[in-house]
């Protein structure tokens, strides 16, 4: 255990000592490009779309909330194009497949921020709940990558497909069976795509955030450690995008705490997980 603890401390010191790109440097790299942000009507997606538009990029914004997307377009009329559709609708998907190449010739980056969370509040395996969560958090991302590859290959530099995962997939949590499993599947999918897309000039980046204050996390009925604002999250993500990082993980303190499960599963299940557990109905 002492060896693992020393290794974790050494890795944390190494990460903290890495040179950080200044905001101005990151902004200059991530400007005058074409981006497609999905899940752009709220939360991290909305903030990223706003910040990228502010940096004078052409940003296609997608989501179901047309009002929120149109409001963003009013703020940046010369830099935002609205493409409203429902990720769970096969008809919408087919329309977007035809419409997207008509809106833009190439994409420098696609940022998949769409996601939902439904907790399992009883011990019944509700298949419908699992299907809803996986439909958005995993299967829709697979579809969007399929649409994106031809346009990302046309980027003047290297295209980048970025997706928002979650630190929740790093360890098992009570009630998070559907959400955590969908994010774990997404993270593995992205890692495999990173290997296969690199030779054709497309980078793949997985973002693993902790708790970020958004409409999604506002629904949580428990204390969220190291809670961050969407402004902070967006700046970290844009910095990582500029550096072409393969994984963007924050906050680091929460990440290292979750590694307890990797190193000492007995401690996690014997103490930490038990304290979080609630009494469930059978």
């Amino acid at each position: 255990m002492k060896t693992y603890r020393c290794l974790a401390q050494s890795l944390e010191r190494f990460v903290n000592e890495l040179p950080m790109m200044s905001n101005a440097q990151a902004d200059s790299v991530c400007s005058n490009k074409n981006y497609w942000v999905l899940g752009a009507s709220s939360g991290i997606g909305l903030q990223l779309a706003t910040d990228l538009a502010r940096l004078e990029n052409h940003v296609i914004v997608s989501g179901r909330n047309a009002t929120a997307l149109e409001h963003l377009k009013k703020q940046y009329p010369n830099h935002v194009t609205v493409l409203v559709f429902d990720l769970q609708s096969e008809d919408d998907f087919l329309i977007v497949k035809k419409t997207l190449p008509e809106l833009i010739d190439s994409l420098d980056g696609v940022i998949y921020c769409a996601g939902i969370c439904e907790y399992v509040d009883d011990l019944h395996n509700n298949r419908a709940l699992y299907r809803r969560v996986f439909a958005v958090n995993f299967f829709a991302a697979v579809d969007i990558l399929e649409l994106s590859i031809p346009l990302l290959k046309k980027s003047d530099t290297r295209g980048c497909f970025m997706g928002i995962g979650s630190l929740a997939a790093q360890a098992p949590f009570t009630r998070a069976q559907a959400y955590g499993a969908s994010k774990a599947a997404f993270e593995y999918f992205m890692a495999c795509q990173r290997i296969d897309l690199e030779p054709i000039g497309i980078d793949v980046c997985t973002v693993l955030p902790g708790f970020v204050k958004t409409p999604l996390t506002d629904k949580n009925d428990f204390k969220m450690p190291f809670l961050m604002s969407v402004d902070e999250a967006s700046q970290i993500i844009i910095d990582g995008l500029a550096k072409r990082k393969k994984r963007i993980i924050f906050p680091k303190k929460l990440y290292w705490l979750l590694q307890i499960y990797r190193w000492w599963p007995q401690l996690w299940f014997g103490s930490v997980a038990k304290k979080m557990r609630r009494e469930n109905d059978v």
Side-chain angles (χ1 to χ4, degrees):
M1 288 187 181
K2 185 177 180 181
T3 302
Y4 285 130
R5 189 180 302 112
C6 292
L7 177 60
Q9 291 171 347
S10 299
L11 287 170
E12 185 171 12
R13 282 196 298 270
F14 172 75
V15 170
N16 289 336
E17 289 169 5
L18 287 174
M20 288 294 291
M21 183 178 289
S22 69
N23 289 354
Q25 287 175 312
D27 290 353
S28 65
V29 173
C30 296
S31 61
N32 299 305
K33 290 181 170 59
N34 297 326
Y35 290 101
W36 184 20
V37 181
L38 297 105
S41 56
S42 66
I44 294 175
L46 174 58
Q47 189 62 50
L48 278 171
T50 302
D51 291 342
L52 289 171
R54 176 180 55 80
L55 295 173
E56 299 186 345
N57 294 287
H58 176 205
V59 185
I60 299 174
V61 292
S62 290
R64 291 183 298 176
N65 189 335
T67 302
L69 299 178
E70 289 294 343
H71 178 71
L72 181 59
K73 181 174 177 59
K74 287 181 180 178
Q75 291 179 282
Y76 301 95
N78 297 323
H79 298 287
V80 171
T81 299
V82 173
L83 181 59
V84 179
F85 77 103
D86 185 348
L87 286 165
Q88 299 184 66
S89 169
E90 184 66 26
D91 291 338
D92 282 9
F93 178 78
L94 293 174
I95 293 171
V96 170
K97 188 174 184 178
K98 178 179 182 297
T99 305
L100 187 63
E102 297 173 355
L103 291 177
I104 200 161
D105 295 326
S106 66
L107 284 168
D108 298 297
V110 175
I111 307 178
Y112 189 85
C113 302
I116 62 171
C117 178
E118 292 189 47
Y119 291 114
V120 179
D121 289 319
D122 57 43
L123 298 181
H124 300 290
N125 286 317
N126 185 334
R127 293 176 64 190
L129 184 155
Y130 282 82
R131 289 178 186 277
R132 286 194 301 270
V133 174
F134 267 81
V136 176
N137 293 357
F138 181 74
F139 288 111
V142 176
D143 291 337
I144 294 304
L145 177 58
E146 177 193 347
L147 282 183
S148 304
I149 287 176
L151 292 171
L152 289 170
K153 287 173 66 176
K154 295 179 181 179
S155 171
D156 291 335
T157 52
R158 287 180 65 88
C160 178
F161 186 84
M162 174 183 282
I164 308 296
S166 173
L167 283 179
Q170 303 304 302
F173 291 91
T174 181
R175 304 167 64 215
Q177 292 93 324
Y179 179 75
S182 70
K183 290 298 186 179
F186 177 73
E187 185 178 347
Y188 190 87
F189 167 75
M190 293 287 281
C192 294
Q193 293 293 351
R194 184 179 304 127
I195 298 169
D196 292 339
L197 295 181
E198 190 275 336
I200 64 171
I202 298 175
D203 295 326
V204 174
C205 173
T206 309
V207 182
L208 300 177
F211 294 107
V212 179
K213 184 170 176 52
T214 66
L216 188 66
T217 57
D218 285 344
K219 298 176 183 177
N220 288 340
D221 57 359
F222 53 85
K223 184 177 180 181
M224 294 175 281
F226 310 111
L227 183 66
M228 301 176 66
S229 70
V230 287
D231 294 323
E232 292 175 287
S234 178
Q235 190 53 58
I236 292 171
I237 293 169
I238 289 176
D239 177 76
L241 179 63
K243 292 178 179 177
R244 291 289 171 159
K245 286 187 175 182
K246 294 177 176 61
R247 297 207 305 170
I248 301 171
I249 302 171
F250 60 91
K252 290 294 192 298
K253 288 182 179 179
L254 180 59
Y255 172 75
W256 290 119
L257 284 174
L258 293 177
Q259 295 312 295
I260 292 173
Y261 167 62
R262 307 279 186 185
W263 299 327
W264 303 298
Q266 297 89 346
L267 175 61
W268 182 268
F269 286 107
S271 178
V272 179
K274 281 185 177 181
K275 292 179 180 178
M276 296 185 294
R277 187 173 59 201
R278 300 180 181 184
E279 293 299 323
N280 292 314
D281 297 327
V282 178

